[in-house]
Structures are given as C-alpha cells and as structure tokens.
C-alpha cells in the first residue's frame, strides 16, 4: 500500500472511531465524538459530548434544532481532559467550535479532520477561528466516509 493510500485509510479508520464514540454522547440534539492522536500517530484519547458527571442529560427543553446545546462539555474538551501532553491530530464528527479550536491549538493540534461542517456558527466566531487557524497554520479538512 502506498503512503498516500495508507494515510487515506487512517483518516477513514479514525473518523469511524470518532463516529463510534459519538454514540455515547448525551445530547439529544447532536452526538459528537473526538479521537486525538499524538505526534507519533498513536491514539492519545477519545471523548464524546456529555453533561458533567452526575448532572442530568440534555432534554428537548434544553437542546433542540433551534437551541444550541449549552449543557454538555464538548467531545474535544473531554478528549483533551482525558489525555496529557501534546496532541497532533484531532478527528471529530463535527467541525469544532471556537472554544474547542482554541483548546486544541493550545495543546498542539496541527490538523483537524471532521465529517460534518458547523453551519450555524456566528460570523464573528467563524472569523476568529479562521484567524487562529491561519496564525498557527492548522490544517482544517472535511473528509467524507467512504463506503
Ligand atoms: Zn445538549
Ligand atoms: Zn466545542
């Protein structure tokens, strides 16, 4: 297998892992999963979006199609919290928000690969995220799962 085919395969495998762990997400609006890799390519951590320990899960009253989820810690936040040291790549089911982007970059992430774009993000947040990615030269890639 060529190096490029191998890297395509890795993206597919880690995105599927992110999708699998997202099934544990406790928000009824959106279930998000995240897999973090170290710079040596090993898996550093995985996480999903969830309410704080012991707190009630999201309900249609707290989160819905027109209501952003403010109740959960995000998948990236949890995956970062369950690991230590620098991370290099983040695989996420959903494009990271501004806060998670900042947290990922701070921990050394150089590449973010996601399945679904974050379409309802406010313009000001989007602009700030774009500025951060440009400043740190972070690769930001939407990838589709292959059949
Ligand atoms: Zn929620
Ligand atoms: Zn986030």
């Amino acid at each position: 297998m060529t190096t490029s085919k191998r890297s395509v395969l890795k993206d597919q495998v880690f995105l599927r892992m992110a999708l699998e762990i997202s099934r544990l997400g406790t928000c009824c609006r959106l279930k998000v999963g995240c897999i973090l890799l170290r710079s040596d390519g090993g898996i550093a951590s995985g996480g999903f979006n969830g309410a704080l320990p012991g707190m009630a899960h999201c309900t249609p009253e707290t989160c819905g199609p027109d209501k952003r989820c403010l109740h959960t810690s995000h998948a990236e936040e949890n995956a970062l919290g369950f690991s230590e040291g620098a991370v290099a790549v983040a695989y996420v089911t959903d494009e990271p928000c501004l806060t998670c982007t900042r947290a990922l970059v701070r921990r050394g992430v150089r590449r973010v690969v996601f399945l679904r774009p974050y379409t309802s993000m406010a313009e000001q947040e989007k602009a700030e995220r774009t500025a951060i990615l440009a400043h740190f030269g972070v690769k930001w890639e939407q990838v589709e799962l292959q059949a």
Side-chain angles (χ1 to χ4, degrees):
M1 192 181 278
T2 63
T3 312
S4 71
K5 268 191 177 169
R6 182 85 192 151
S7 65
V8 169
L9 177 64
K10 281 184 182 173
D11 282 356
Q12 291 289 309
V13 168
F14 292 127
L15 279 172
R16 279 178 201 280
M17 288 177 71
L19 196 58
E20 188 64 18
I21 201 168
S22 76
R23 294 171 62 195
L24 293 173
T26 66
C27 183
C28 44
R29 176 176 174 265
L30 188 66
K31 297 184 189 304
V32 183
C34 173
I35 297 292
L36 298 174
L37 302 190
R38 299 186 305 258
S39 58
D40 65 3
I43 296 171
S45 180
F48 52 87
N49 60 331
L52 289 173
M55 284 189 79
H57 291 174
C58 301
T59 66
E61 282 69 49
T62 64
C63 313
D66 307 319
K67 247 187 210 170
R68 279 175 70 193
C69 179
L70 299 177
H71 187 61
T72 57
S73 300
H74 290 183
E76 303 92 319
E77 186 182 356
N78 285 326
L80 287 168
F82 292 133
S83 61
E84 284 178 359
V87 285
V89 186
Y91 289 93
V92 275
T93 53
D94 295 84
E95 191 174 17
C97 71
L98 174 60
T99 304
C100 289
T101 299
R102 215 179 265 133
L104 289 167
V105 167
R106 210 185 289 124
R107 282 281 293 278
V109 163
R110 308 291 303 149
R111 181 171 179 246
V112 174
V113 185
F114 60 93
L115 290 172
R116 299 181 286 245
Y118 183 177
T119 52
S120 60
M121 194 173 189
E123 283 307 316
Q124 191 187 353
E125 290 182 48
K126 201 182 267 181
E128 183 61 30
R129 187 182 66 189
T130 302
I132 292 170
L133 300 180
H135 180 84
F136 289 94
V138 176
K139 287 186 201 153
W140 197 259
E141 298 169 44
Q142 184 180 6
V143 169
E144 283 180 19
L145 284 183
Q146 296 167 359

